[in-house]
Amino acid sequence: KVNATVPDISTLLMQTTFRLEGPSKSKPGRTSVGTAFIMGKPIAAQPDRAAYVLVTAAHVLDDIQGSIAVLRVRRPDKDGGFEPFNWFIPLRSVDGKTLYTRHGEADVAAMFVVLPNDLNVTVVPTTMLADDKAIQNLEIHPGDELLCVGFPYGVSVNDAGFPVLRTGVVSSYPLVPAKKVKFIAFDFRVFGGNSGGPVYFRFSNRYYQGSTHLGNITQSIIGLVTEQVSDTATGTPISLARIVPAQFISETINMLGEYTGK
């Protein structure tokens, strides 16, 4: 739970969610496109600083051929707008070793990254990942509204390269424990390219634990998009996504250990 003076999570995630792409392994000659977002992991030795962590669906990184992925980032321009440009992210070492960390049971990957100094963005801290306990405490349930930002088919919402924001509702039950349920169903219009995008909530004056919390804004990431659900017989999409619970994102980030860069 956060105070209303904390920056709006939708704005923060709009600013720190980027298109990620590279040559496709599974479809030679084509480009593999997904969504990635940047979080801040507190640095133990320097409590006032955080390390940048790139988070996405593991299959997005796995399908990129070669050692480099392209992150389509944005910097402020002199006219008050934003200029998109390519930033290269190492995925594998020269000997082929994977540089990102995959969760052993869920489709999520994370890695420390270095970003341009002139992005001028504020990242969502990893403490704003809603684990099983948070979901239970807030009594999140089917029908609750969720939001998601991403790049459907690689499409940006404007020339500056910002992601598309979509809304929907929780459409599965139960939601916890993550280890048991494996995924949360999210009813929204999902397409290829949305994979890896953050799914989150922003509640105001929410009723839970027997009372209405007037004046409070509660906002956190609840998971990331992993796949589009389709009819098994015909393969027809049904506007339903499966999302990896944030519990698994937290576990993956913890697997990175302490940041040792500068």
Side-chain angles (χ1 to χ4, degrees):
K1 185 168 65 177
V2 298
N3 187 281
T5 58
V6 172
D8 171 60
I9 191 172
S10 292
T11 302
L12 296 184
L13 287 173
M14 272 284 195
Q15 295 173 341
T16 55
T17 299
F18 305 103
R19 190 175 73 193
L20 184 70
E21 60 185 57
S24 174
K25 285 183 182 178
S26 60
K27 298 177 181 178
R30 298 181 63 177
T31 299
S32 179
V33 178
T35 300
F37 58 102
I38 306 297
M39 300 197 75
K41 182 179 182 181
I43 299 175
Q46 304 176 65
D48 60 331
R49 294 187 60 214
Y52 288 134
V53 176
L54 180 146
V55 180
T56 188
H59 78 263
V60 172
L61 298 182
D62 289 347
D63 191 50
I64 293 178
Q65 180 74 42
S67 60
I68 301 291
V70 176
L71 197 66
R72 188 70 169 166
V73 297
R74 305 166 289 267
R75 61 162 63 99
D77 63 24
K78 59 183 177 60
D79 299 318
F82 292 87
E83 172 194 8
F85 65 101
N86 292 338
W87 186 254
F88 300 99
I89 303 293
L91 295 184
R92 299 170 185 91
S93 62
V94 291
D95 59 359
K97 180 182 177 182
T98 299
L99 300 178
Y100 55 89
T101 297
R102 295 175 101 270
H103 195 281
E105 302 173 32
D107 184 22
V108 57
M111 63 187 302
F112 290 120
V113 292
V114 176
L115 295 177
N117 293 327
D118 56 355
L119 288 192
N120 193 29
V121 295
T122 301
V123 294
V124 176
T126 54
T127 52
M128 287 182 66
L129 288 166
D131 58 13
D132 286 351
K133 183 178 180 181
I135 290 174
Q136 289 175 309
N137 287 344
L138 291 170
E139 299 177 6
I140 297 175
H141 54 76
D144 270 337
E145 183 180 68
L146 300 178
L147 304 95
C148 178
V149 289
F151 297 89
Y153 292 132
V155 172
S156 302
V157 77
N158 52 27
D159 291 341
F162 283 92
V164 178
L165 189 152
R166 287 264 168 76
T167 62
V169 297
V170 176
S171 56
S172 63
Y173 182 85
L175 307 184
V176 295
K179 294 284 189 183
K180 184 71 173 180
V181 301
K182 305 295 186 184
F183 67 87
I184 297 171
F186 176 33
D187 179 24
F188 89 115
R189 297 188 66 192
V190 56
F191 301 94
N194 279 121
S195 289
V199 181
Y200 60 100
F201 56 79
R202 186 180 190 276
F203 303 134
S204 59
N205 304 323
R206 184 170 177 82
Y207 179 89
Y208 63 95
Q209 300 295 322
S211 64
T212 300
H213 295 254
L214 294 174
N216 284 344
I217 293 176
T218 305
Q219 49 185 14
S220 289
I221 294 172
I222 195 173
L224 62 77
V225 178
T226 178
E227 65 179 333
Q228 180 186 72
V229 179
S230 301
D231 172 60
T232 54
T234 65
T236 304
I238 60 172
S239 293
L240 185 69
R242 288 178 174 170
I243 65 174
V244 174
Q247 176 83 31
F248 294 122
I249 300 176
S250 293
E251 291 173 3
T252 306
I253 292 175
N254 287 339
M255 290 166 63
L256 295 176
E258 289 298 327
Y259 180 67
T260 57
K262 295 181 180 180

